[in-house]
Amino acid sequence: IMDPKKLVEGSAKHPQPGKVFQYGTAGFRMKANLLDSVVYRVGLLAALRSRKLNGQTIGVMITASHNPPEDNGVKLVDPMGEMLEASWEAYATLLANAATDEALLELYKKLSSDLKINGEAPARVIFARDTRASGSRLVGCLIDALEAAGAEHTDFKLLTTPQLHYLVRCVNTKGTQYEYGDVSEQGYYEKIGAAFKRAMKHRKSSGAVTVDCANGVGGPKLKELLKYLPTKAEGGVDIKVINDDVVKPENLNVQCGADFVKTNQRAPPSSTTKPLERCASLDGDADRVVYYFTSDENIFRLLDGDRIATLAASFLGDLGRQSGLAEHLKIGVVQTAYANGASTQYVESNLKLPVICTPTGVKHLHHAATRFDIGVYFEANGHGTVLFSPAALKAIATHEPQSPAQQAALETLQALTELINQTVGDALSDLLLVEVILAHKNWGMREWLDTYVDLPNRLVRVEVRDRNMFVAVDAERRLESPPGAQAEIDKLVGKYKQGRSFARASGTEDAVRVYAEAATRGEADDLAGKVANVVR
Ligand code: 16G
Ligand code: ZN
């Protein structure tokens, strides 16, 4: 049970700095020196949430992903390894903003009674952090809160964000028919390693990839995972790890990593790979991955989340047909408005699969993906995964193959259900998924790139006085407010061949983002500039 005296004392150790905080799409995220009180209060909420769910284990991840080294952040993980239920984000915000230690205690009690939480129910919390210098101090704040709230807790130390999501699901499914895996970091490697080996059994070729780990937690974790994977000689993939310096945390995400590559449309300056060589970059907490290479003509080519989604959807479609399960496995793709229009067109026209567009943020995509038997969701920035419905898992597990070819496809499909992290986008798991598919298709980067041609596009960040003036609807593709803005955008878009553009308020920064695409580079730039002027 919660100890009121401890709660107030603990809060006094980590005072609210007189700022207003908001639990956003990525939890709380800011300069690390502002986070102590926020983390303390998130700890309290984690205990409340666990009690509300009768002692199911809640996860707390301390990370600021692709943000600079001096930032940090914190977010909660719900029992099945999903993002915190949306309605609870508001309670996190309330707690973070309680002005005094006493006000915090009163709010804790009020939430507890409003939400009909049994204060005597057990509370269980597990947590982990990325490699940032501020991480261990913030873990101290978290532990103070968990002690005050009377929550059992386990520190899993350094982990990638998806590893913590995995562990939360494992704890809560242990001993049930939905058991997800062993509740340990090693269990994660064993599960993925074994699945990868099975998925590679019927491959045609195997390749090599250089992985930039953003100097973040993904580096040591990928190196650990390699110990559980077959070597190149054993039919595995040759994975070379670079930018894995976590000894100097000031290097995190600096001039490297998935966000650098995606935003700057170039390889990390430190990259020494040769034309056509396969490269991938993870972000700082290893929940995003993008691929790229330089072509023969020395042109940088990015294969982002849209490309991974189309590759995965195409392969899963093949496996569905080859295993004789096609009619039981309705595959769909979930994207955001940032997906390149050519990728959407490719999925609908070539793969003949449905596409759903949702607002930005993993929770929206994840939710929509559960509507399919196999839901492939990716944001263009490289965050995504593939979800298998319970019915799909059952069909895949119990299907009787009618031929050796069906058997082989089925085995690969079964392996993928284990390889792909079902809780959240996972760069390590996604990386292996891509490698498996390329090995099966016997493709290099060129073949993958040539499946379709991206429309030239431009993303512009516009500083505005008040981003809350910009209210988007229709999966953020249209502005409802300010009045008249959308009509102006429509008029501009109409003038461009294959033109598409939208403006939306960022959920993580004080700015509006404008996206535009069109038939040529010049027109895309031009359209983006004009739409930016509409919102400016
Ligand atoms: C958050 C989201 C990410 C999204 C980004 C958009 C999660 C875990 N993270 O980082 O998916 O792409 O916000 O940022 O949902 P924006 O609103 O500033 O464009
Ligand atoms: Zn991340």
Side-chain angles (χ1 to χ4, degrees), residues 9 28 108 153 157 165 208 210 222 238 251 277 300 305 346 354 382 407 436 481 487 508:
E9 283 170 7
F28 294 105
Y108 181 100
H153 51 87
K157 309 273 166 62
H165 284 254
T210 300
L222 175 55
D238 188 8
N251 289 340
E277 280 182 2
F300 174 81
Y346 172 77
Q407 162 112 29
V436 164
S481 153
T508 62

Side-chain angles (χ1 to χ4, degrees), residues 61-66 128-132 156-164 185 188-189 212-225 241-247 249 251-253 282-287 427-428:
M61 184 70 200
I62 297 179
T63 177
S65 185
H66 59 279
R129 61 186 170 89
D130 70 17
T131 53
R132 283 160 208 273
F156 277 92
K157 309 273 166 62
L158 294 180
L159 289 181
T160 71
T161 296
Q163 284 180 323
L164 181 73
E185 189 181 335
Y188 171 92
Y189 300 124
D212 152 31
C213 298
N215 291 320
V217 68
K221 301 310 178 187
L222 175 55
K223 281 203 271 186
E224 191 59 29
L225 174 60
V241 178
I242 61 163
N243 297 332
D244 59 335
D245 174 12
V246 293
V247 178
N251 289 340
L252 174 66
N253 297 322
L282 319 181
D283 75 342
D285 62 340
D287 61 357
L428 301 183

Side-chain angles (χ1 to χ4, degrees), residues 116-322:
K116 301 193 174 55
I117 290 168
N118 171 7
E120 276 156 29
R124 300 188 180 98
V125 176
I126 67 174
F127 56 88
R129 61 186 170 89
D130 70 17
T131 53
R132 283 160 208 273
S134 56
S136 59
R137 185 190 83 239
L138 294 172
V139 160
C141 305
L142 179 65
I143 292 176
D144 284 346
L146 297 173
E147 296 281 333
E152 281 174 40
H153 51 87
T154 310
D155 182 356
F156 277 92
K157 309 273 166 62
L158 294 180
L159 289 181
T160 71
T161 296
Q163 284 180 323
L164 181 73
H165 284 254
Y166 160 90
L167 288 173
V168 170
R169 181 139 165 179
C170 289
V171 185
N172 289 306
T173 53
K174 201 174 165 199
T176 73
Q177 59 170 314
Y178 301 107
E179 204 157 276
Y180 193 62
D182 189 55
V183 192
S184 66
E185 189 181 335
Q186 192 184 335
Y188 171 92
Y189 300 124
E190 282 169 354
K191 177 170 178 173
I192 292 197
F196 178 74
K197 213 168 177 174
R198 283 169 61 207
M200 289 294 274
K201 193 172 144 196
H202 301 286
R203 79 196 182 281
K204 294 206 182 84
S205 65
S206 74
V209 59
T210 300
V211 186
D212 152 31
C213 298
N215 291 320
V217 68
K221 301 310 178 187
L222 175 55
K223 281 203 271 186
E224 191 59 29
L225 174 60
L226 291 184
K227 298 179 190 163
Y228 297 79
L229 303 181
T231 61
K232 175 114 183 163
E234 293 162 344
V237 172
D238 188 8
I239 297 176
K240 186 173 162 212
V241 178
I242 61 163
N243 297 332
D244 59 335
D245 174 12
V246 293
V247 178
K248 296 194 208 76
E250 65 271 22
N251 289 340
L252 174 66
N253 297 322
V254 176
Q255 300 283 319
C256 61
D259 199 62
F260 173 90
V261 171
K262 171 78 181 159
T263 311
N264 297 287
Q265 305 271 323
R266 58 169 295 191
S270 60
S271 171
T272 57
T273 50
K274 298 182 189 65
L276 297 182
E277 280 182 2
R278 183 142 87 230
C279 305
S281 284
L282 319 181
D283 75 342
D285 62 340
D287 61 357
R288 290 193 199 175
V289 60
V290 295
Y291 272 78
Y292 50 93
F293 69 106
T294 38
S295 69
D296 286 330
E297 311 84 46
N298 233 350
I299 298 170
F300 174 81
R301 295 298 202 158
L302 179 68
L303 292 114
D304 61 7
D306 300 344
R307 293 286 184 167
I308 300 176
T310 50
L311 183 72
S314 136
F315 187 56
L316 288 160
D318 292 346
L319 290 179
R321 281 182 292 275
Q322 290 160 5

